[in-house]
Amino acid sequence: SIGCTLHARPVQFPAPVMFAAVTATSQADDDKLGPALQRILEQDPTLQVERNSETHETVLKGLGDVHLDATVHILKQMCNVNVTLSTPKIAYRETVTGKGEGHYKHKKQSGGRGQYGEVYLRVEPLQAGDEKWFTNETVGGSIPGNFIPAIEKGVIERMDHGSVAGYPVVNVKVRVYDGSYHDVDSSEIAFKIAGAGALREGLSKAKPVILEPIMSVRISTPEAFMGAVTGDLNHKRGRVLGYETEDDMQVILADVPQGELFRYAAELRSMTGGQASFTMTFSRYDVVPANVATKIIAESPYKPHEAEE
């Protein structure tokens, strides 16, 4: 007989469509949560866990609300770990849409050597392809070159918290163009503080906006539910991009804010009697409408006006 080797195609598991933040109910449970989740992942390849570094949450991703509820039950029964599920926080970001100038003078004198550093800078949107987001445009030695890295460090740290709702700032260009120093009292820490303060003012004057993650969604539904599904997408601030036909199903292609989709698997199932399905992938960040931004600002745990006082 002639020997041969057969290779099976890799199993294509469906991508997660429902997300929830998972939190241990006690410190003892929290200590066991990591290993317990790893054990569950080894047994269920359709389940995913991600640690979001921006929101500092552990996010459980599954195929629906029943799937996630079953995972919570398994964690309790198999691993003796008690957890609760909640709607994940959204990793908002901030940027600017105009130009703004910032100025900050850090001056302290409390006996002995003081602290002194003054920075003037401009903030504007970073253009595509421009890799130099931070530039030193001072002339005449208004700020010694050895203090410029300290200013940049202060700017970078301040960009962790924007001027609108305190979310990380992206896609901005910063130009340091003037300032002043003191022969004795100037130091790296003084210019770091001055750089951060100047950026704070510059951001607030450069028409800042909040950005939200947008997901590309592909919904497969019987034609009878097309009106209900598209109407619901409009309520979710979704934008329908097109339609396709696949076998006997209608496919809707749309862009939808991530914040509207955390429970969409259960909502779509209820809307279509379980006959529709969907997938989603991250697309981009886009500007949040003013009415939505007002709510985000009110709910933000970070208060920009209280920082750096």
Side-chain angles (χ1 to χ4, degrees), residues 216-222 225-231 233 239-245 249-255 264 268 277-279:
S216 292
V217 181
R218 190 175 191 274
I219 306 166
S220 180
T221 178
F225 301 107
M226 285 284 287
V229 173
T230 54
L233 288 175
R239 184 164 64 96
V240 175
L241 304 177
Y243 302 92
E244 298 176 358
T245 301
M249 302 287 278
Q250 299 298 311
V251 178
I252 304 171
L253 306 175
D255 283 349
Y264 191 57
L268 185 64
S277 61
F278 80 104
T279 59

Side-chain angles (χ1 to χ4, degrees), residues 91-198:
Y92 294 112
R93 294 177 184 173
E94 297 183 23
T95 192
V96 298
T97 58
K99 297 182 179 181
E101 299 220 355
H103 164 246
Y104 193 89
K105 179 188 288 187
H106 179 66
K107 184 177 181 181
K108 283 190 176 181
Q109 191 71 46
S110 56
R113 183 174 178 177
Q115 296 182 30
Y116 184 92
E118 183 177 27
V119 173
Y120 290 84
L121 53 75
R122 296 185 177 97
V123 177
E124 61 189 72
L126 183 68
Q127 301 301 315
D130 188 352
E131 297 181 357
K132 291 186 177 181
W133 71 270
F134 179 90
T135 60
N136 172 24
E137 300 178 1
T138 59
V139 293
S142 57
I143 301 177
N146 59 304
F147 291 133
I148 298 300
I151 297 173
E152 182 177 2
K153 187 174 182 180
V155 166
I156 290 174
E157 291 186 5
R158 190 63 184 81
M159 286 174 68
D160 286 342
H161 299 292
S163 62
V164 182
Y167 291 102
V169 177
V170 297
N171 298 331
V172 298
K173 187 177 184 71
V174 178
R175 306 173 187 268
V176 177
Y177 68 90
D178 201 2
S180 64
Y181 72 101
H182 188 278
D183 288 333
V184 176
D185 293 343
S186 285
S187 62
E188 290 186 359
I189 187 63
F191 274 101
K192 176 183 171 183
I193 294 171

